[in-house]
Amino acid sequence: MLQRADALLSRYGYCSRKEARQWLSEGRLRIPSGRITDPAVKINPADVTVDGAPVEYPEGLFVKVHKPVGYVCSHDPAEGPSVYDLLPPQWMRRNPHPTVIGRLDKDTTGLVLITDDHQLVHRLISPKNKIPKVYRVGLDRLPDAALIEIFAAGTLLLKGEKTPCLPAAITEVSDTVCRVTLHEGRYHQVKRMFAACGFQVTALHRLSIGAWQLGKLEEGRWEVVAFPEK
Ligand code: URA
């Protein structure tokens, strides 16, 4: 898509729209036919170099991150280290800003998806799409058949809520560790569902969101992934 030269520099996090004039007058933005100095000229980001390097991910950014314990999924620096700190700083200056699809608590680890495509965010968090999220859960005691049944029934009502949780599957039980698959994303949902049944979650780790798996991605690392089909 064609973009104004000044808007492009701001869109991909090089500088503010105000600073763009200076960048352009310094001849830092080029297309194959030469320098672009006029902020209003419309250009294709895929044709552009800035300081000699092509624009990164002109179609949008979509990454998976392995969130370590102690990191928050927030843009507020007062809340402590953030998953956004794990990404290249220029990406975080892109407009729209990259944002997490489905937050994790500070003490939860595992897969987080981040994108600057806000339509994709809405698509993946929309309750009507029921995207499965799989968690590995450590518990304070052995999960039993009654618990598995309650989760599967789709009748569990959490404190302060009016609609019961959608059916959730507990699988691969091994001692006090199990897998849980949810098809929605309510606030602290895993911990609250177990707490409502008298269990305490001692460790929580997200393994996948839809088709995206954490795989072997190391803690604190990110990897660019392909956008899903529209
Ligand atoms: N459910 C929780 O309780 N916490 C998370 O971080 C994710 C799901």
Side-chain angles (χ1 to χ4, degrees):
M1 205 187 27
L2 294 181
Q3 298 177 35
R4 276 179 61 115
D6 55 357
L8 181 148
L9 286 169
S10 146
R11 160 76 182 95
Y12 298 109
Y14 293 98
C15 60
S16 70
R17 204 142 165 182
K18 220 162 142 195
E19 291 160 344
R21 234 166 235 284
Q22 180 69 25
W23 278 57
L24 292 165
S25 69
E26 289 167 5
R28 299 173 75 168
L29 191 150
R30 300 184 77 104
I31 55 172
S33 55
R35 287 179 180 166
I36 298 283
T37 51
D38 178 355
V41 168
K42 291 204 165 165
I43 41 182
N44 182 345
D47 297 338
V48 166
T49 58
V50 181
D51 292 340
V55 170
E56 282 189 298
Y57 309 106
E59 302 299 330
L61 196 62
F62 188 33
V63 283
K64 65 179 189 180
V65 181
H66 187 158
K67 179 192 163 314
V69 77
Y71 279 66
V72 293
C73 294
S74 160
H75 286 285
D76 180 358
E79 291 185 34
S82 158
V83 285
Y84 299 116
D85 300 338
L86 299 168
L87 300 177
Q90 187 179 334
W91 290 3
M92 295 318 301
R93 294 194 297 267
R94 287 168 75 115
N95 292 293
H97 292 308
T99 187
V100 159
I101 303 170
R103 292 170 169 225
L104 291 178
D105 299 334
K106 196 169 186 170
D107 58 356
T108 303
T109 56
L111 178 65
V112 162
L113 297 174
I114 297 179
T115 183
D116 60 358
D117 179 339
H118 288 209
Q119 273 183 347
L120 179 63
V121 177
H122 293 304
R123 204 171 112 202
L124 293 183
I125 64 171
S126 166
K128 76 172 194 290
N129 287 333
K130 299 192 175 62
I131 306 281
K133 297 184 203 84
V134 181
Y135 297 87
R136 190 178 63 222
V137 188
L139 295 169
D140 60 341
R141 60 197 174 88
L142 292 174
D144 50 24
L147 174 76
I148 295 173
E149 233 171 79
I150 295 172
F151 268 45
T155 51
L156 184 62
L157 197 58
L158 298 176
K159 209 169 164 194
E161 298 201 355
K162 292 197 174 73
T163 49
C165 295
L166 290 176
I170 298 182
T171 55
E172 298 187 33
V173 178
S174 164
D175 197 27
T176 54
V177 178
C178 62
R179 279 189 187 203
V180 174
T181 305
L182 300 185
H183 292 88
E184 54 186 345
R186 304 185 192 199
Y187 181 66
H188 294 329
Q189 184 166 354
V190 175
K191 292 174 189 161
R192 288 167 69 217
M193 285 179 79
F194 280 100
C197 301
F199 287 76
Q200 200 193 331
V201 170
T202 55
L204 187 56
H205 179 77
R206 187 154 64 198
L207 295 161
S208 65
I209 302 173
W212 296 279
Q213 309 275 338
L214 185 62
K216 292 198 185 321
L217 187 64
E218 283 175 29
E219 202 172 78
R221 299 292 182 148
W222 52 264
E223 188 181 302
V224 173
V225 289
F227 276 94
E229 305 256 318
K230 294 234 160 143

